[in-house]
């Protein structure tokens, strides 16, 4: 049955599961200890750190800070930057709630927060970001690609422009959705902070990392025993971190194949669907991740569509449905100037590494049947 909600979460890889198993069994040590059992766990974490650093081209393994997932990494990036000097935050209106709510938190702590509008495709203009940056700005946060629409932001151009006009402001990107499809590599010009989450790339849930470029000013937001060089206290999820490293390496190694297969699935899906029923592709003309297909079915409410799809065995989602399970009106679509009644007829389908043109065609057949049978 078509699972078309890989942007919400994607199945764990077999190699991830088997790499994690020993750390959920015999190798149970707390890496903060001093004895041999602890050292086994500590070594596993440091090896995972080295492997992730190498996979994304980070010069130093200690630039990888393990977190309890993407949300926590975003909180550390935004609040941690703002707290450093209660500095300001500049971010577009279409960011994930993990960024926008962290920015609101920073505002409550006294930071100046500027939320920059986007165009009708959801793309932010680098000039608008750069002109919102002031001497008070601590961090500019722009996602690599959007979780609802898959629309890709010009993050490299933004980093270049902000640095050339404003000096070395910290630049953060949330690469949670983009990681499987786009080359996320650390270079001199890339962002200083990069968020990645395990469960979106075939790793475990509740584990992720923030790349922190050496020398970036960042306050911890979780305080305690001083793990992760004091940047993130709390006993490590050793098994999760080991699994995360396997998932990161695999995503990087398989990226080209992923883009080809998943892109073929998505394109075939949209093509075949459009040939059968009326659909509108959200931001169809913009640069989008190959995995995402955000569609409007004119005249059919998303709730109705999702229930009927579920009955037909198809998993998809709508709006910002990831947190509570409820379908809230999408602030992302609203920021793009899409009317509420249009947004209410929109559904996100997202493909994963098991998909290809054949599964894309099959998905289109089933979705067309469901939508075709609806008023
Ligand atoms: N950022 C983006 C763009 C996401 O899509 C998500 C998850 O939906 C997150 C952050 C949060 O990541 P996690 O589920 O690991 O907390």
């Amino acid at each position: 049955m078509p699972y078309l909600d890989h942007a919400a979460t994607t199945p764990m890889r077999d190699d991830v599961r088997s790499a994690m198993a020993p750390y959920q069994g015999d190798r149970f040590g707390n890496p903060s200890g001093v004895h041999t059992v602890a050292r086994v766990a500590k070594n596993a974490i440091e090896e995972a750190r080295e492997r992730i650093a190498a996979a994304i081209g980070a010069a130093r393994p200690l630039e990888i800070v393990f977190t309890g997932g993407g949300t926590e990494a975003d909180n550390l990036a935004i609040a941690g930057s703002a707290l450093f000097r209660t500095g300001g935050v500049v971010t577009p209106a279409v960011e994930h709630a993990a960024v926008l709510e962290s920015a609101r938190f920073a505002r409550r702590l006294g930071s100046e927060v500027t939320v920059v509008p986007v165009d009708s495709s959801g793309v932010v203009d680098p000039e608008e970001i750069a002109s919102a940056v002031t001497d008070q700005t601590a961090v500019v946060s722009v996602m690599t690609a959007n979780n609802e629409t898959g629309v890709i932001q010009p993050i490299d151009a933004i980093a270049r422009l902000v640095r050339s006009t404003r000096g070395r402001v910290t630049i953060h990107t949330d690469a949670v959705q983009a990681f499987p499809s786009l080359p996320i590599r650390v270079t001199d010009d890339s962002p200083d902070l990069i968020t990645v989450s395990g469960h979106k790339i075939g790793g475990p849930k509740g584990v992720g990392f923030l790349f922190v470029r050496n020398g970036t000013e960042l306050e911890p937001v979780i305080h305690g025993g001083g793990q992760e060089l004091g940047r993130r206290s709390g006993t490590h999820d050793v098994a999760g971190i080991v699994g995360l490293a396997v998932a990161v390496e695999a995503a990087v190694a398989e990226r080209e194949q992923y883009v080809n297969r998943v892109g073929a699935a998505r394109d075939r899906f949209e093509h075949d669907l459009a040939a059968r029923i009326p659909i509108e592709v959200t931001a169809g003309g913009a640069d989008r991740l190959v995995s995402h297909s955000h569609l409007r079915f004119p005249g059919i409410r998303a709730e109705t569509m999702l229930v009927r799809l579920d009955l037909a065995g198809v998993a998809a989602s709508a709006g910002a449905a990831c947190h509570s399970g409820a379908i809230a009106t999408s602030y992302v679509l609203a920021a793009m100037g899409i009317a509420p009644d249009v947004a209410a007829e929109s559904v996100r389908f997202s493909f994963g590494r098991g998909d290809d043109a054949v599964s894309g065609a099959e998905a289109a057949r089933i979705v067309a049947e469901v939508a075709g049978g609806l008023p």
Side-chain angles (χ1 to χ4, degrees):
M1 281 306 181
Y3 176 78
L4 301 177
D5 204 13
H6 290 271
T9 197
T10 198
M12 199 186 282
R13 301 172 57 96
D14 291 341
D15 49 1
V16 167
R17 198 171 302 137
S18 43
M20 289 171 70
Y23 298 92
Q24 293 165 322
D26 292 351
R27 301 185 199 167
F28 60 87
N30 182 332
S32 300
V34 292
H35 44 65
T36 307
V37 178
R39 234 175 0 255
V40 168
K42 167 93 175 141
N43 290 345
I45 287 179
E46 295 318 320
E47 191 195 318
R49 200 188 305 280
E50 280 167 27
R51 287 167 64 175
I52 291 173
I56 66 164
R60 299 172 173 82
L62 284 172
E63 291 176 317
I64 306 300
V65 179
F66 292 117
T67 65
T71 300
E72 192 193 307
D74 283 346
N75 273 257
L76 176 56
I78 307 304
S81 298
L83 277 165
F84 198 81
R85 297 193 198 111
T86 55
V89 181
V90 173
T91 194
V94 293
E95 291 294 305
H96 190 270
V99 166
L100 290 176
E101 292 302 323
S102 294
R104 283 186 192 117
F105 175 61
R107 181 181 279 152
R108 291 209 297 279
L109 298 176
S111 295
E112 188 179 82
V113 174
T114 309
V115 177
V116 178
V118 294
D119 70 12
S120 60
S121 295
V123 180
V124 69
D125 179 354
E127 299 279 352
E128 284 205 49
I129 290 281
S131 61
V133 174
T134 68
D135 293 344
Q136 305 302 314
T137 306
V139 62
V140 168
S141 182
V142 180
M143 67 203 323
T144 313
N146 186 265
N147 41 299
E148 288 186 41
T149 60
V151 167
I152 298 167
Q153 297 289 3
I155 180 65
D156 291 343
I158 289 167
R160 253 195 321 272
L161 188 64
V162 168
R163 285 172 181 152
S164 68
T165 54
R166 284 284 167 188
R168 197 105 201 150
V169 177
T170 298
I171 313 270
H172 168 245
T173 195
D174 175 333
V176 166
Q177 293 287 332
F179 198 81
S181 5
L182 297 181
I184 307 296
R185 291 286 298 173
V186 175
T187 65
D188 288 348
D189 298 330
S190 62
D192 307 296
L193 304 171
I194 304 172
T195 294
V196 177
S197 167
H199 74 108
K200 311 283 187 178
I201 61 171
K205 294 176 179 62
V207 63
F209 70 86
L210 182 69
F211 162 78
V212 181
R213 190 189 296 281
N214 189 39
T216 306
E217 296 170 335
L218 204 62
E219 272 289 319
V221 295
I222 295 183
H223 304 274
Q227 289 90 343
E228 295 293 288
L229 294 181
R231 295 173 297 190
R232 194 280 187 183
S233 288
T235 302
H236 296 90
D237 175 356
V238 182
I241 288 169
V242 167
L244 175 67
V246 174
V248 166
E249 280 184 334
V252 172
E254 295 170 11
R255 203 170 265 147
E256 198 180 320
Q257 184 191 339
Y258 176 97
V259 168
N260 291 336
R261 284 175 54 111
V262 174
R266 196 277 307 272
D267 290 349
R268 182 69 184 271
F269 174 71
E270 289 185 354
H271 171 272
D272 284 14
L273 208 48
R276 291 185 165 110
I277 54 167
I279 55 164
E280 287 167 18
V281 181
T282 310
D287 259 354
R288 291 182 294 152
L289 296 177
V290 291
S291 41
H292 287 52
S293 179
H294 193 276
L295 305 178
R296 175 187 179 205
F297 298 89
I300 307 176
R301 294 205 43 100
E303 286 96 327
T304 313
M305 190 68 188
L306 289 178
V307 171
R308 296 294 283 269
L309 284 170
D310 189 32
L311 289 172
V314 181
S317 68
C322 54
H323 19 260
S324 61
I327 300 174
T329 311
S330 165
Y331 63 83
V332 171
L333 301 186
M336 294 161 68
I338 294 178
D341 55 330
V342 171
E345 296 175 341
S346 301
V347 175
R348 178 187 71 184
F349 301 91
S350 49
F351 295 83
R353 62 185 183 283
D355 285 308
D356 57 15
V358 174
S359 69
E362 175 63 2
R365 190 187 62 74
I366 301 173
V367 173
E369 223 171 80
V370 169
L374 287 169

